[in-house]
Amino acid sequence: IGPMNNVNANYSNGSLNVADKLAVSGTVNVTGTARFYGALQADGNVILGASGSNTVTINGVVNSNISPEANGTRNLGVLGTAFNNVIASGTMYSATSTINNADGAATLYLRSEAASKGGRIIIEKSDGSGCVQLSFDPSLGLVSSTLTCPAIPF
């Protein structure tokens, strides 16, 4: 390390200690583990990993939406290394959906935690004239009814 004029930094025992801000032009290469204490803000495009064999571990919580750069362009998981379970609350919206199980028959399982309520499937009619609701009533079995389609927020 060359001379550092008007810089509140020192180099000792193999470490560069900077007391305020460090500005670097060009590439910073780190061999080993880089640790950041406090917030890390990375402006611009960010690449995590150099190949599909690298792993990214998130030990904290996600505090924002996760969005692809364009509609309908990215997948969550891939065949052969799919996610195990999706645990969510709220409503799942999809422009188009296919349930496909590569290992056998596809199953859509709807369950309500409330003992008196069951799951339901709402299907829009192909002519756009409304929706049909399929639900299960413990005393009647499978029930079909027509209803107004719920609003989709996209």
Side-chain angles (χ1 to χ4, degrees):
I1 294 182
M4 295 183 280
N5 298 322
N6 300 320
V7 176
N8 190 5
N10 65 65
Y11 180 78
S12 66
N13 297 326
S15 294
L16 173 64
N17 300 299
V18 179
D20 192 14
K21 294 181 181 178
L22 174 65
V24 177
S25 295
T27 301
V28 175
N29 292 311
V30 177
T31 301
T33 301
R35 291 212 163 138
F36 299 90
Y37 298 94
L40 169 63
Q41 180 174 332
D43 296 330
N45 296 330
V46 177
I47 298 171
L48 301 174
S51 71
S53 63
N54 297 140
T55 60
V56 176
T57 302
I58 301 173
N59 289 323
V61 296
V62 176
N63 192 25
S64 66
N65 294 329
I66 300 173
S67 303
E69 82 281 2
N71 190 35
T73 59
R74 301 288 178 221
N75 298 323
L76 185 59
V78 295
L79 289 176
T81 56
F83 286 92
N84 186 33
N85 295 306
V86 176
I87 300 167
S89 64
T91 303
M92 182 185 86
Y93 296 99
S94 176
T96 60
S97 296
T98 301
I99 298 174
N100 182 12
N101 183 344
D103 295 330
T107 301
L108 176 61
Y109 177 66
L110 303 173
R111 178 176 179 250
S112 174
E113 292 297 320
S116 63
K117 299 183 186 280
R120 64 185 180 154
I121 299 172
I122 299 175
I123 304 168
E124 185 172 1
K125 295 180 182 178
S126 59
D127 64 3
S129 64
C131 284
V132 174
Q133 172 179 284
L134 301 174
S135 59
F136 185 79
D137 181 287
S139 61
L140 300 174
L142 187 62
V143 177
S144 171
S145 59
T146 301
L147 70 152
T148 302
C149 296
I152 306 296
F154 55 82

